[in-house]
Amino acid sequence: MYRLFFKRFIDVLASLTAFLLFWWVFLIVGYLVKKKLGSPVIFKQKRPGKDGKIFLMYKFRSMTDAKDKDGNLLSDAERLPQFGKLLRATSLDELPELYNVLKGEMSLVGPRPLLVEYLERYNEFQKQRHNVRPGITGWAQINGRNAISWDEKFNLDVEYVDKYNFLLDIKILFLTVKKVFVKEGISAVGEATTEEFKGGKK
């Protein structure tokens, strides 16, 4: 019953409640992003959702558009200022994804939506992460986030798909809040965020 109905019901109720109670946080963060990083305030990117269906994911911008003398974008590390790092460390950049949850493209809890170009690189085991809606937070996020290997992430994602239930989702949400305060696993070693996924073993 939880998988068929209540999970989606909780997603909608929680998202609406968050918008109603914390609209002022959205305004403040939006203003600071505009002032410190420029426009557009909202970063939009295509990501694969349930069953690999592509949707447009929304986040607060955390990087600049700094380019080199040839007009090419600088590396993530060079375009991620201190304010952007703060947004990511506190997960405030993820707030607009609540709109994706309302639209039914995401869930509060589930495997994180990765890049579209990764779709063709997954093996059959890894593809199972798309059997559910992607989440704002997930089992892999509270067990290492970007500091663990891709194999570990996918193992945790598929483990979640196999066994998720109400109590597990509540546990993940509470531990996510703890992770935000502890600021663990925000980036991979030597990376501004995480290394590129090159493909899984067949």
Side-chain angles (χ1 to χ4, degrees):
M1 184 63 74
Y2 176 71
R3 294 189 175 201
L4 293 175
F5 174 73
F6 283 110
K7 182 175 174 68
R8 178 63 188 148
F9 175 77
I10 292 171
D11 281 342
V12 173
L13 181 62
S15 299
L16 284 174
T17 301
F19 277 122
L20 291 173
L21 294 179
F22 301 110
W23 58 268
W24 53 276
V25 176
F26 285 80
L27 292 180
I28 292 173
V29 174
Y31 170 76
L32 291 174
V33 170
K34 170 74 172 178
K35 183 178 180 180
K36 294 179 178 292
L37 301 177
S39 296
V41 170
I42 300 295
F43 170 76
K44 296 178 285 187
Q45 188 175 54
K46 291 181 179 179
R47 296 290 177 97
K50 188 176 185 298
D51 301 321
K53 183 178 179 180
I54 307 302
F55 70 97
L56 201 60
M57 188 181 77
Y58 302 92
K59 299 177 70 172
F60 277 121
R61 176 193 190 125
S62 60
M63 289 186 179
T64 68
D65 288 326
K67 300 178 181 179
D68 62 22
K69 57 183 177 61
D70 297 318
N72 301 310
L73 283 174
L74 298 176
S75 67
D76 287 356
E78 293 173 295
R79 293 188 296 118
L80 185 62
Q82 197 61 41
F83 178 69
K85 292 178 182 178
L86 176 64
L87 287 179
R88 292 189 176 195
T90 57
S91 294
L92 287 172
D93 62 319
E94 312 280 0
L95 287 177
E97 291 170 33
L98 288 170
Y99 179 57
N100 291 117
V101 175
L102 278 177
K103 291 174 66 181
E105 297 161 337
M106 292 181 65
S107 177
L108 293 177
V109 181
R112 283 293 298 165
L114 302 176
L115 300 178
V116 172
E117 52 262 39
Y118 290 177
L119 279 174
E120 61 184 20
R121 304 178 190 178
Y122 296 143
N123 59 35
E124 292 304 312
F125 175 78
Q126 294 161 349
K127 287 179 182 178
Q128 294 180 67
R129 71 191 312 278
H130 291 293
N131 290 344
V132 298
R133 290 186 180 92
I136 294 179
T137 186
W139 193 225
Q141 277 56 55
I142 65 165
N143 284 287
R145 200 171 173 180
N146 289 326
I148 58 177
S149 70
W150 280 111
D151 282 341
E152 290 173 304
K153 288 180 187 178
F154 288 125
N155 287 338
L156 289 166
D157 286 342
V158 175
E159 181 182 351
Y160 173 80
V161 170
D162 288 341
K163 71 177 188 181
Y164 78 91
N165 54 55
F166 175 72
L167 291 179
L168 179 59
D169 279 1
I170 293 298
K171 176 182 178 179
I172 291 171
L173 289 171
F174 274 105
L175 289 177
T176 296
V177 174
K178 177 185 175 183
K179 289 287 183 180
V180 168
F181 284 103
V182 176
K183 297 181 176 60
E184 293 178 343
I186 297 167
S187 61
V189 176
E191 303 285 341
T193 52
T194 188
E195 63 178 347
E196 179 184 355
F197 173 62
K198 301 295 179 61
K201 297 178 181 179
K202 302 299 182 183

